[in-house]
Each structure stands twice: as C-alpha cells, then as structure tokens.
Amino acid sequence: MVALKDGIQSADAIMRLADAGVIRPETPFAADQVQPASLDLRLGRRAYRVRASFLPGRNHTVQDRLTQLSFHEIDLSIGAILETGSVYIAELQESLALPDDVSAAANPKSSTGRIDVFTRVITDRSQEFDTIGAGYHGPLYAEISPRTFPVLVRTGTRLSQLRLRKGEVRLSDAELHDLHQREKVVTSAEPSIQDGVAVSVDLAGFGQDRLIGYRAKRHTGLVDVDKPASCRIADFWEPLYADDSRTLILDPGQFYILASKEAVHVPPDYAAEMVPFDPLVGEFRVHYAGFFDPGFGHAEAGGEGARAVLEVRSRDVPFILEDGQIVGRLVYERMAERPQVLYGAGAGSNYQAQGLKLSKHFR
C-alpha cells in the first residue's frame, strides 16, 4: 500500500496511487492528464440520455438507475452532440479502489464551467454528487447537462477533475488569516474571512473600454470541447461594459462570465476551492468549476495578478450585482506535499495570470 501523508494528494502521489491500483484507468493516462493537485477524468465509450438527474441511493448502483431512466445509449467513440436542456450519464475511464482513509471530491474543469456545461460525478450507492467516500471501490460516472451551448464530446474528452484527500486538512479561519498574513492570498487590504476568504465581483471594468464580462447568446452553434480556439467570440458572447452605476442586472436563466475584483493567490503548499453558492449573498450561483491548484496566481509560476473568473447564473428572479459585492468564498486546504510542478509552470495550464478570460475554445 502507498504511504500517504495527510492533505490533498499531489500529482506525484496520484501517479503512485495509479501504480498501486487505487486509481484504475482503462487506458494509460494522457501526458497532461495529471494536474498539480488533481486528476482529469476522461469520458468512456458509452453515455446514456436519461429522463432526469438522479442519485442512486445507498441500495442501488448507477446501472440499476440507468435501466429505469435511460432513453437510449450513445456511442461516444464516434463523437456525440449533447443538447442543451437534456441530461446525460457517461461512463468514465477511471475507476477507484480507495483505502479506508482516503476520500475524493470532483468538480468541473475550468473550461467546462466557462461554457456552462453542468457536470457532476456520481458513484454506485452515492447519496451526494461530487463526493466519493473513503474506501469506495467501483466505477465513476459523469452527469452532463449543457445549459447554454450544445457541445460535441467523445471518448477521452475531459469535463471533470478529481482530488484525493487524506485527513481533515481544511484551514480554519484563524489558520487562513495567518496564511494571508504570510502569503497574501487575495489582494484585498482587509479581506473578509469567514468559512473561507471572500471574493467580490469587479464591475468597474478592465482596460480602456471598461469591459466587465460577457453574456452568453442563445441559439448558438456547437462547441467542440476538444478543439481550442475553434469558436468566434462574437458568435457566442455579448460583451458587457461598465457604466457609471457600476452595477449589473442578472437576467434569470442567462449565463455570465465575470471576474473577481481581487487577484487570487494559492501558495505552493496549499490547494483552494471556490464555494459554489452561498444563499446569504443572493439568488445566483457563482463558479461551477471550483478547484484552484497550487501555484495559481503565484509570482514564481508566472501567475501574479491572476483573477478568479466567475461563471454566474441568476436563479428565479432578476438580481442586481454591485461593484465589489461578495459573490463567493475560497476555502484553502493543505497539500500532503508540494507538487513538483506548479500550476502555470509547465503543467498544461490555460488560465495562469488570467484577467477576464473566456474558455480556451474562443478566439
């Protein structure tokens, strides 16, 4: 058995766990699949369109539920278009045989969240999305529901990522305050630290034209998830600019890309996650893609000044955002060991030192 320290497991530990059979890929990992503190998960050969989202529950496997809820099977080996408004369950190429003291959590990849593809990982007998209990042995599946753009995916497409955790390693507010004093995790002079560090929205604008973000267009063309720079921005997005009010009215059902006012820094010995929704701050959801790897925004990895890009969707009512309004919180966890390669330093990172940036698919 692999000896692991308490903390979020690094790329090196992920490779050791794969060698030991704790992570069981159907085919060898791709060259850039293992990230500094996470593992990209690849779609398998089969997917199913289903009537509705579901959790299997403690007495059922995912296949049990698919027998009841599936409309038809889809062959991903030849590629498939996933339509907006539909729910799909896809097999993943990675399965797990976790030790009793190691758990896992999943989240959409950054590029997945930025095209508004709602993706969650489920397991046999699970009662929660994106949470894999210690000791789990079995397959992994992705629930996929494109919200705004239809997408083209295939076997090997990576929509989700997995973190492995041993022990209780989340920083308390006091520990996070001490870390901020040493490392400055956000550029706010006096950050709000309560169950994580507060992140606010920038509606003052970037550059001379004071761009504040983008609103997704409806009834667009197709986004091929595996083809960077294949889509024209103008065909999919409407740019939004600041006005003197420094506010933005979120329309129900619309999808927005905005950016944080603060630059964010994840020191090399830590990993962070954006809390996706806090009902205390308003009727909207922020940041589907919540993982921030060690080295994000780190000056020595070329990331100084990196903002958190916010994927924002209003809920049932119009909601007014104001410049500097808190929209989410970052929680920090200790790494079990410092990754040999940090985010942005040769780790296949697309968003290091980012300001306001759409996903890699747009040019």
Side-chain angles (χ1 to χ4, degrees), residues 29-36 38-40 109 158 346-350 360:
F29 291 147
D32 60 347
Q33 188 177 347
V34 181
Q35 303 297 320
S38 61
L39 172 68
D40 291 350
K109 288 173 59 65
R158 304 178 218 167
S349 314
N350 291 294
K360 62 185 179 183

Side-chain angles (χ1 to χ4, degrees), residues 179-200:
L179 176 63
H180 178 71
Q181 294 299 312
R182 299 193 309 269
E183 299 276 7
K184 200 169 188 180
V185 296
V186 294
T187 52
S188 173
E190 296 184 3
S192 169
I193 297 177
Q194 182 179 355
D195 296 325
V197 60
V199 174
S200 65

Side-chain angles (χ1 to χ4, degrees), residues 242-259:
D243 59 24
D244 292 340
S245 72
R246 293 192 176 186
T247 63
L248 175 65
I249 298 177
L250 301 178
D251 293 325
Q254 292 278 19
F255 180 66
Y256 300 81
I257 295 291
L258 306 172

Side-chain angles (χ1 to χ4, degrees), residues 21 88 141 172 188 192 260 270 293 310 313 319 340 354 362:
Y88 304 86
Y141 299 83
S172 67
S188 173
S192 169
S260 68
Y270 297 87
D293 272 346
L310 309 170
R313 176 177 284 280
F319 189 86
Q340 294 183 19
Q354 69 183 359
F362 300 100

Side-chain angles (χ1 to χ4, degrees), residues 52-123:
S53 173
F54 66 87
L55 283 166
R58 67 178 60 188
N59 297 319
H60 296 279
T61 67
V62 174
Q63 285 295 337
D64 291 339
R65 294 302 191 197
L66 288 174
T67 300
Q68 302 168 343
L69 299 173
S70 172
F71 286 139
H72 60 268
E73 182 179 313
I74 300 167
D75 183 359
L76 295 180
S77 67
I78 58 174
I81 295 173
L82 307 186
E83 302 282 356
T84 58
S86 296
V87 180
Y88 304 86
I89 302 296
E91 297 173 344
L92 293 172
Q93 292 188 40
E94 290 74 31
S95 60
L96 297 176
L98 295 178
D100 290 339
D101 57 354
V102 175
S103 62
N107 242 313
K109 288 173 59 65
S110 295
S111 295
T112 307
R114 294 187 201 193
I115 55 174
D116 201 19
V117 176
F118 192 53
T119 304
R120 302 185 286 192
V121 170
I122 56 176
T123 66

Side-chain angles (χ1 to χ4, degrees), residues 121-356:
V121 170
I122 56 176
T123 66
D124 290 343
R125 298 175 178 83
S126 59
Q127 299 181 82
E128 296 180 76
F129 293 106
D130 286 336
T131 301
I132 302 162
Y136 174 76
H137 284 56
L140 302 176
Y141 299 83
E143 177 193 286
I144 308 165
S145 182
R147 299 293 184 89
T148 297
F149 309 130
V151 295
L152 176 61
V153 301
R154 54 189 63 79
T155 299
T157 294
R158 304 178 218 167
L159 299 176
S160 301
Q161 53 192 354
L162 188 77
R163 270 189 181 166
L164 296 160
R165 177 186 293 105
K166 181 183 178 186
E168 294 296 329
V169 294
R170 178 171 166 173
L171 298 191
S172 67
D173 287 347
E175 291 169 326
L176 184 52
H177 183 272
D178 290 344
L179 176 63
H180 178 71
Q181 294 299 312
R182 299 193 309 269
E183 299 276 7
K184 200 169 188 180
V185 296
V186 294
T187 52
S188 173
E190 296 184 3
S192 169
I193 297 177
Q194 182 179 355
D195 296 325
V197 60
V199 174
S200 65
V201 65
D202 191 322
L203 297 180
F206 294 83
Q208 292 185 346
D209 56 2
R210 300 177 66 196
L211 179 71
I212 60 171
Y214 297 89
R215 180 167 50 218
K217 293 183 176 181
R218 297 181 183 272
H219 313 298
T220 67
L222 187 69
V223 176
D224 187 331
V225 175
D226 297 316
K227 289 189 176 179
S230 59
C231 301
R232 294 177 62 247
I233 292 175
D235 293 337
F236 291 82
W237 298 96
E238 174 191 354
L240 303 173
Y241 300 96
D243 59 24
D244 292 340
S245 72
R246 293 192 176 186
T247 63
L248 175 65
I249 298 177
L250 301 178
D251 293 325
Q254 292 278 19
F255 180 66
Y256 300 81
I257 295 291
L258 306 172
S260 68
K261 205 164 192 65
E262 302 83 6
V264 172
H265 175 212
V266 183
D269 293 315
Y270 297 87
E273 181 179 357
M274 179 77 81
V275 178
F277 176 72
D278 183 349
L280 299 178
V281 301
E283 288 299 315
F284 57 90
R285 179 188 171 96
V286 173
H287 223 284
Y288 291 136
F291 288 162
F292 290 73
D293 272 346
F296 181 89
H298 190 59
E300 294 178 10
E304 187 171 12
R307 308 293 184 98
V309 168
L310 309 170
E311 300 108 27
V312 179
R313 176 177 284 280
S314 183
R315 292 195 179 270
D316 297 327
V317 296
F319 189 86
I320 298 176
L321 280 181
E322 298 184 354
D323 182 48
Q325 182 171 341
I326 294 174
V327 293
R329 293 185 180 273
L330 278 172
V331 297
Y332 282 72
E333 295 181 293
R334 295 181 189 85
M335 292 293 298
E337 58 188 0
R338 179 177 292 202
Q340 294 183 19
V341 179
L342 298 178
Y343 185 90
S349 314
N350 291 294
Y351 306 114
Q352 184 67 298
Q354 69 183 359
L356 174 61

